[in-house]
Short mmCIF file of all heavy atoms in Angstrom, two decimals:
data_model
loop_
_atom_site.label_atom_id
_atom_site.label_comp_id
_atom_site.label_asym_id
_atom_site.label_seq_id
_atom_site.Cartn_x
_atom_site.Cartn_y
_atom_site.Cartn_z
N GLY A 98 -67.69 -64.87 -178.96
CA GLY A 98 -67.84 -66.12 -179.74
C GLY A 98 -69.39 -66.26 -179.93
O GLY A 98 -70.12 -66.18 -178.92
N VAL A 99 -69.81 -66.53 -181.16
CA VAL A 99 -71.22 -66.53 -181.38
C VAL A 99 -71.88 -67.88 -181.39
O VAL A 99 -73.07 -68.04 -181.46
CB VAL A 99 -71.40 -65.83 -182.83
CG1 VAL A 99 -71.12 -64.40 -182.78
CG2 VAL A 99 -70.83 -66.57 -183.92
N ASP A 100 -71.01 -68.86 -181.14
CA ASP A 100 -71.59 -70.29 -181.15
C ASP A 100 -72.69 -70.49 -180.26
O ASP A 100 -73.78 -71.17 -180.59
CB ASP A 100 -70.45 -71.30 -180.85
CG ASP A 100 -69.37 -71.32 -181.90
OD1 ASP A 100 -69.69 -70.87 -183.17
OD2 ASP A 100 -68.29 -71.81 -181.68
N ASN A 101 -72.63 -69.99 -179.01
CA ASN A 101 -73.68 -70.21 -178.13
C ASN A 101 -74.12 -68.75 -177.53
O ASN A 101 -74.73 -68.62 -176.46
CB ASN A 101 -73.30 -70.99 -176.87
CG ASN A 101 -73.08 -72.47 -177.22
OD1 ASN A 101 -74.00 -73.02 -177.97
ND2 ASN A 101 -71.92 -73.00 -177.03
N LEU A 102 -74.04 -67.71 -178.44
CA LEU A 102 -74.43 -66.44 -177.94
C LEU A 102 -75.79 -66.01 -178.24
O LEU A 102 -76.25 -66.29 -179.34
CB LEU A 102 -73.46 -65.45 -178.66
CG LEU A 102 -73.69 -63.88 -178.30
CD1 LEU A 102 -73.31 -63.63 -176.84
CD2 LEU A 102 -72.74 -63.09 -179.21
N HIS A 103 -76.49 -65.48 -177.22
CA HIS A 103 -77.82 -65.04 -177.37
C HIS A 103 -77.68 -63.55 -177.10
O HIS A 103 -77.37 -63.18 -175.97
CB HIS A 103 -78.75 -65.70 -176.46
CG HIS A 103 -78.85 -67.17 -176.65
ND1 HIS A 103 -79.78 -67.73 -177.49
CD2 HIS A 103 -78.12 -68.19 -176.14
CE1 HIS A 103 -79.70 -69.07 -177.41
NE2 HIS A 103 -78.61 -69.29 -176.73
N VAL A 104 -78.04 -62.65 -178.04
CA VAL A 104 -77.98 -61.19 -177.88
C VAL A 104 -79.38 -60.64 -177.50
O VAL A 104 -80.31 -60.94 -178.18
CB VAL A 104 -77.48 -60.56 -179.12
CG1 VAL A 104 -77.33 -59.10 -178.94
CG2 VAL A 104 -76.12 -61.14 -179.50
N ILE A 105 -79.34 -59.71 -176.48
CA ILE A 105 -80.58 -59.03 -176.12
C ILE A 105 -80.34 -57.58 -176.18
O ILE A 105 -79.27 -57.03 -175.66
CB ILE A 105 -81.01 -59.36 -174.67
CG1 ILE A 105 -81.21 -60.80 -174.53
CG2 ILE A 105 -82.23 -58.51 -174.29
CD1 ILE A 105 -81.49 -61.20 -173.10
N SER A 106 -81.05 -56.86 -177.01
CA SER A 106 -80.91 -55.44 -177.14
C SER A 106 -82.21 -54.68 -176.62
O SER A 106 -83.32 -55.27 -176.94
CB SER A 106 -80.57 -55.05 -178.57
OG SER A 106 -81.57 -55.49 -179.50
N VAL A 107 -82.05 -53.57 -175.98
CA VAL A 107 -83.19 -52.87 -175.46
C VAL A 107 -83.08 -51.50 -175.94
O VAL A 107 -82.09 -50.84 -175.95
CB VAL A 107 -83.14 -52.86 -173.92
CG1 VAL A 107 -84.32 -52.16 -173.33
CG2 VAL A 107 -83.20 -54.32 -173.39
N CYS A 108 -84.27 -50.98 -176.50
CA CYS A 108 -84.42 -49.59 -176.91
C CYS A 108 -83.50 -49.17 -177.97
O CYS A 108 -83.34 -49.75 -179.07
CB CYS A 108 -84.40 -48.64 -175.63
SG CYS A 108 -85.27 -47.13 -175.95
N GLN A 109 -82.63 -48.15 -177.72
CA GLN A 109 -81.84 -47.53 -178.79
C GLN A 109 -80.80 -48.48 -179.31
O GLN A 109 -80.24 -48.30 -180.40
CB GLN A 109 -81.10 -46.23 -178.24
CG GLN A 109 -82.05 -45.08 -178.18
CD GLN A 109 -82.66 -44.96 -176.90
OE1 GLN A 109 -82.53 -45.81 -175.97
NE2 GLN A 109 -83.47 -43.87 -176.62
N SER A 110 -80.40 -49.44 -178.50
CA SER A 110 -79.27 -50.41 -178.97
C SER A 110 -79.78 -51.33 -180.02
O SER A 110 -79.02 -51.96 -180.74
CB SER A 110 -78.75 -51.20 -177.83
OG SER A 110 -79.73 -52.05 -177.24
N THR A 111 -81.10 -51.49 -180.24
CA THR A 111 -81.56 -52.43 -181.18
C THR A 111 -81.16 -52.21 -182.63
O THR A 111 -80.89 -53.12 -183.38
CB THR A 111 -83.11 -52.53 -181.13
OG1 THR A 111 -83.68 -51.31 -181.39
CG2 THR A 111 -83.60 -53.10 -179.77
N VAL A 112 -81.08 -50.90 -183.00
CA VAL A 112 -80.80 -50.66 -184.39
C VAL A 112 -79.36 -50.99 -184.75
O VAL A 112 -79.13 -51.71 -185.74
CB VAL A 112 -81.13 -49.09 -184.78
CG1 VAL A 112 -80.64 -48.77 -186.09
CG2 VAL A 112 -82.57 -48.90 -184.68
N PRO A 113 -78.34 -50.60 -183.93
CA PRO A 113 -76.94 -50.94 -184.24
C PRO A 113 -76.74 -52.41 -184.08
O PRO A 113 -76.04 -53.05 -184.84
CB PRO A 113 -76.18 -50.15 -183.21
CG PRO A 113 -77.05 -49.25 -182.46
CD PRO A 113 -78.43 -49.56 -182.87
N VAL A 114 -77.37 -53.19 -183.15
CA VAL A 114 -77.21 -54.50 -183.02
C VAL A 114 -77.83 -55.31 -184.28
O VAL A 114 -77.19 -56.31 -184.84
CB VAL A 114 -77.82 -55.03 -181.67
CG1 VAL A 114 -77.96 -56.56 -181.66
CG2 VAL A 114 -77.07 -54.55 -180.51
N LEU A 115 -79.04 -54.93 -184.62
CA LEU A 115 -79.71 -55.45 -185.81
C LEU A 115 -78.75 -55.27 -187.08
O LEU A 115 -78.52 -56.14 -187.81
CB LEU A 115 -81.01 -54.87 -186.12
CG LEU A 115 -81.74 -55.37 -187.29
CD1 LEU A 115 -82.01 -56.88 -187.25
CD2 LEU A 115 -83.08 -54.65 -187.50
N ALA A 116 -78.17 -54.10 -187.20
CA ALA A 116 -77.34 -53.78 -188.36
C ALA A 116 -76.09 -54.69 -188.29
O ALA A 116 -75.59 -55.20 -189.25
CB ALA A 116 -76.93 -52.32 -188.34
N ALA A 117 -75.47 -54.74 -187.09
CA ALA A 117 -74.22 -55.65 -186.88
C ALA A 117 -74.48 -57.07 -187.22
O ALA A 117 -73.72 -57.66 -188.03
CB ALA A 117 -73.79 -55.49 -185.40
N VAL A 118 -75.56 -57.61 -186.79
CA VAL A 118 -75.82 -59.05 -187.05
C VAL A 118 -76.15 -59.15 -188.52
O VAL A 118 -75.71 -60.14 -189.17
CB VAL A 118 -77.00 -59.60 -186.16
CG1 VAL A 118 -77.38 -60.94 -186.58
CG2 VAL A 118 -76.55 -59.56 -184.75
N SER A 119 -76.90 -58.26 -189.09
CA SER A 119 -77.27 -58.33 -190.53
C SER A 119 -76.00 -58.22 -191.45
O SER A 119 -75.94 -59.05 -192.36
CB SER A 119 -78.23 -57.22 -190.91
OG SER A 119 -79.51 -57.33 -190.17
N LEU A 120 -75.17 -57.36 -191.07
CA LEU A 120 -73.94 -57.22 -191.86
C LEU A 120 -73.05 -58.47 -191.78
O LEU A 120 -72.43 -58.95 -192.73
CB LEU A 120 -73.21 -55.98 -191.48
CG LEU A 120 -73.78 -54.64 -191.86
CD1 LEU A 120 -73.02 -53.51 -191.19
CD2 LEU A 120 -73.76 -54.52 -193.41
N MET A 121 -73.04 -59.08 -190.58
CA MET A 121 -72.30 -60.28 -190.43
C MET A 121 -72.82 -61.39 -191.27
O MET A 121 -72.09 -62.18 -191.94
CB MET A 121 -72.33 -60.68 -188.92
CG MET A 121 -71.37 -59.74 -188.08
SD MET A 121 -71.63 -59.98 -186.25
CE MET A 121 -70.78 -61.52 -185.98
N ALA A 122 -74.10 -61.53 -191.21
CA ALA A 122 -74.81 -62.51 -192.05
C ALA A 122 -74.67 -62.38 -193.52
O ALA A 122 -74.39 -63.35 -194.33
CB ALA A 122 -76.26 -62.57 -191.71
N ALA A 123 -74.65 -61.12 -193.97
CA ALA A 123 -74.57 -60.81 -195.35
C ALA A 123 -73.10 -61.18 -195.92
O ALA A 123 -72.87 -61.55 -197.02
CB ALA A 123 -74.72 -59.37 -195.61
N ARG A 124 -72.14 -61.14 -194.96
CA ARG A 124 -70.74 -61.48 -195.28
C ARG A 124 -70.54 -62.98 -195.14
O ARG A 124 -69.40 -63.46 -195.53
CB ARG A 124 -69.77 -60.75 -194.39
CG ARG A 124 -69.62 -59.33 -194.75
CD ARG A 124 -68.43 -58.64 -194.01
NE ARG A 124 -68.60 -58.69 -192.54
CZ ARG A 124 -68.92 -57.70 -191.83
NH1 ARG A 124 -69.25 -56.50 -192.44
NH2 ARG A 124 -69.12 -57.72 -190.57
N GLY A 125 -71.45 -63.73 -194.66
CA GLY A 125 -71.28 -65.17 -194.43
C GLY A 125 -70.58 -65.45 -193.11
O GLY A 125 -70.17 -66.61 -192.94
N ASP A 126 -70.44 -64.43 -192.29
CA ASP A 126 -69.77 -64.73 -190.93
C ASP A 126 -70.74 -65.45 -190.11
O ASP A 126 -71.97 -65.33 -190.23
CB ASP A 126 -69.45 -63.39 -190.30
CG ASP A 126 -68.36 -62.54 -191.16
OD1 ASP A 126 -67.65 -63.20 -191.99
OD2 ASP A 126 -68.26 -61.39 -190.79
N PRO A 127 -70.23 -66.16 -189.10
CA PRO A 127 -71.16 -66.73 -188.07
C PRO A 127 -71.82 -65.68 -187.34
O PRO A 127 -71.43 -64.60 -187.15
CB PRO A 127 -70.18 -67.52 -187.12
CG PRO A 127 -68.91 -67.59 -187.84
CD PRO A 127 -68.83 -66.49 -188.84
#
Side-chain angles (χ1 to χ4, degrees):
V99 296
D100 293 339
N101 291 310
L102 182 64
H103 299 269
V104 177
I105 299 173
S106 59
V107 180
C108 204
Q109 286 91 352
S110 66
T111 57
V112 172
V114 169
L115 178 60
V118 173
S119 297
L120 289 169
M121 290 168 73
R124 285 192 295 263
D126 294 344

